[in-house]
Amino acid sequence: MFRRSTVVIAFIACTGFATSKFLQPTPYDRDTAVSSILIALGDEAPEHYIGTMDMEKVGMGKDIINLGGAYENGGATNRVSEHFVCIDCHNIQPEAPFADDNNPDSRLKYSIENNQPYLPGSTFYGITNRTSWFNGDHERKYGKELIEPARHDLVNAIQLCSKECSVGRMLTQEEMQAVLHYLTSMELKLKDLNLSEAELASISANGQTAEQKAQNIRLIKSKYLQGYPATFVEEIPKKERKMGEEGNLDNGKWIYEKSCLHCHSPQKTVTDRTLFGTGKDQKDFKWLASYFKKSNGGSVYWITRHGTASKEHIPQYMPIYSKEKLSDSQIEDLAAYILAESKK
Ligand code: HEC
Ligand code: HEC
């Protein structure tokens, strides 16, 4: 007996982080869905909740989000948009080590460490756990009438972005179900919450009173963003711009390649009509650097804060980067990289 328990303890010690938080007997593991814990504690399931995942629907949702439509006969059929796919603007992976972190510096660091795009939209990972969407200043772009129904209803938020942000059409009921199944496959797991051992023990404890359950529900919800804030800011005033003279070149390179070139690249249809995007072409860097002092569409300082509007003859547009998705100092990093490359 003695021997066996030593072996068990040694095993737990060796597997480190993965199990260190689970020394007490708990019904949960790292991959337990946060939504199922909340529901077990008595929280009400949201309207978009999907209890049992249907893998066929997950697959169809995956095609819609990643390829633009259900995939049949070697191609995406009946595309949601002729101009964009959802992953032009949204990641499908976590964007921070823990789900309560929305700092642009740690988001960029995480993107570099995990080799992920760095995009103007919020990640779809954990989106079914949120309780509000299109927060902050998005109302300024889309208007109250469109935003209000979407702010507390995920289905409406998806429809808004399918039609407006993607310059496409709304999803059919079948497509919506598929997309909800796929998004549920990337819901938050216990490992995404930065919980102390004591907090984990409290959440997992047997025989909790109603009061303790309510407290644990609040505790869990405090560990992830209920909605992503979005603040639109004006471009850095000309007099305050560093014009590429100061900034972190590695960050700037990453932003250029994993954010700007995510759309502005010759392989992408999104940028059919844009003026730069051959990637490493020095012409592009010289052209971009020549506009640093301007406040118009050529200037990286200006365009990141204003984006472009979708027009009849140019339906593809550039989204506004909120300050949460690209900070002023990250724009200076980008400018520093562009200037350095323009001189090579
Ligand atoms: C051209 C860029 C673009 C495309 C394409 C796009 N989106 Fe978005 N989407 C945005 C931006 C910008 C926001 C607002 C910022 C944010 O995500 O928090 C947004 C927000 C959302 C939100 C609310 C997110 C939240 O947490 O507040 C949902 C849901 C959404 N999009 C779904 C979709 C779906 C589904 C598609 C594909 C059919 C899609 N989007 C395509 C740019 C885009
Ligand atoms: C979601 C896709 C997308 C992303 C990401 C994006 N752009 Fe754009 N951008 C566009 C589109 C589409 C246009 C063209 C709009 C038009 O012609 O009206 C554009 C236009 C521009 C223009 C105006 C000149 C031109 O090429 O037409 C500049 C400059 C620019 N973008 C810079 C950037 C920079 C810098 C970044 C990265 C911080 C970036 N863009 C990220 C889609 C994107």
Side-chain angles (χ1 to χ4, degrees):
M1 264 331 270
F2 175 73
R3 281 197 135 201
R4 188 191 287 167
S5 59
T6 351
V7 171
V8 171
I9 289 166
F11 172 75
I12 290 173
C14 288
T15 46
F17 169 68
T19 41
S20 66
K21 287 189 172 176
F22 299 96
L23 289 174
Q24 292 200 289
T26 149
Y28 306 133
D29 66 31
R30 288 168 52 76
D31 290 313
T32 305
V34 169
S35 64
S36 70
I37 304 174
L38 286 171
I39 290 169
L41 289 168
D43 196 33
E44 206 180 311
E47 217 161 299
H48 59 258
Y49 181 69
I50 287 174
T52 316
M53 262 190 296
D54 173 336
M55 290 323 282
E56 202 170 312
K57 288 186 183 162
V58 172
M60 180 180 168
K62 185 176 178 188
D63 288 348
I64 294 169
I65 299 274
N66 291 272
L67 305 170
Y71 204 72
E72 279 163 32
N73 309 321
T77 56
N78 192 15
R79 292 178 56 105
V80 176
S81 164
E82 291 300 320
H83 312 292
F84 288 107
V85 293
C86 310
I87 57 168
D88 285 329
C89 301
H90 297 277
N91 271 327
I92 52 177
Q93 312 90 331
E95 292 189 335
F98 291 112
D100 59 354
D101 185 350
N102 192 35
N103 179 300
D105 293 334
S106 55
R107 185 171 177 258
L108 181 61
K109 184 163 172 273
Y110 193 85
S111 155
I112 295 172
E113 282 168 3
N114 294 281
N115 190 18
Q116 287 174 189
Y118 190 68
L119 302 177
S122 298
T123 180
F124 287 153
Y125 187 86
I127 194 167
T128 57
N129 299 88
R130 291 169 215 159
T131 50
S132 81
W133 299 273
F134 283 104
N135 298 298
D137 291 331
H138 289 298
E139 198 168 295
R140 270 166 52 192
K141 177 154 175 131
Y142 295 106
K144 204 175 168 135
E145 215 167 295
L146 288 179
I147 291 289
E148 213 147 72
R151 195 151 271 171
H152 299 289
D153 185 314
L154 179 57
V155 166
N156 290 344
I158 293 169
Q159 294 293 31
L160 170 61
C161 219
S162 301
K163 185 153 191 302
E164 303 294 332
C165 330
S166 313
V167 198
R169 60 166 174 84
M170 293 209 190
L171 305 183
T172 64
Q173 248 177 357
E174 191 196 5
E175 288 170 329
M176 181 59 78
Q177 277 309 307
V179 163
L180 287 176
H181 275 256
Y182 180 53
L183 296 178
T184 300
S185 76
M186 45 186 113
E187 66 184 322
L188 294 180
K189 315 295 183 308
L190 199 47
K191 65 183 173 205
D192 300 310
L193 310 187
N194 193 6
L195 291 165
S196 69
E197 270 177 45
E199 288 169 334
L200 187 67
S202 160
I203 288 164
S204 320
N206 288 323
Q208 297 178 39
T209 63
E211 175 73 18
Q212 285 166 330
K213 285 183 180 175
Q215 212 168 359
N216 280 325
I217 290 172
R218 283 195 299 275
L219 170 66
I220 292 174
K221 291 187 176 177
S222 73
K223 298 289 179 179
Y224 62 92
L225 275 106
Q226 297 296 308
Y228 280 86
T231 317
F232 291 177
V233 288
E234 286 303 312
E235 70 277 10
I236 305 173
K238 289 178 198 169
K239 284 200 302 280
E240 291 166 27
R241 293 179 196 167
K242 293 177 184 146
M243 306 288 180
E245 297 299 338
E246 273 172 59
N248 179 315
L249 294 176
D250 293 336
N251 285 353
K253 180 179 195 306
W254 195 265
I255 293 164
Y256 186 74
E257 290 178 358
K258 293 293 186 165
S259 201
C260 313
L261 293 190
H262 187 73
C263 290
H264 292 271
S265 125
Q267 293 94 336
K268 300 278 291 216
T269 53
V270 173
T271 51
D272 276 353
R273 292 181 189 78
T274 71
L275 301 173
F276 79 99
T278 45
K280 289 282 185 189
D281 195 327
Q282 216 208 6
K283 260 198 342 278
D284 290 341
F285 295 116
K286 282 192 193 308
W287 184 78
L288 286 170
S290 75
Y291 278 88
F292 281 172
K293 294 193 177 75
K294 302 260 164 53
S295 280
N296 63 24
S299 165
V300 298
Y301 289 98
W302 190 91
I303 194 103
T304 46
R305 295 309 185 204
H306 296 265
T308 67
S310 176
K311 288 159 268 192
E312 195 75 28
H313 60 297
I314 314 176
Q316 299 96 323
Y317 72 100
M318 176 162 155
I320 296 172
Y321 284 83
S322 64
K323 83 171 170 41
E324 290 82 0
K325 298 292 190 263
L326 188 67
S327 67
D328 278 349
S329 81
Q330 289 170 349
I331 293 174
E332 295 293 11
D333 294 344
L334 174 65
Y337 172 69
I338 290 169
L339 184 67
E341 291 297 309
S342 76
K343 289 178 176 164
K344 276 191 178 162

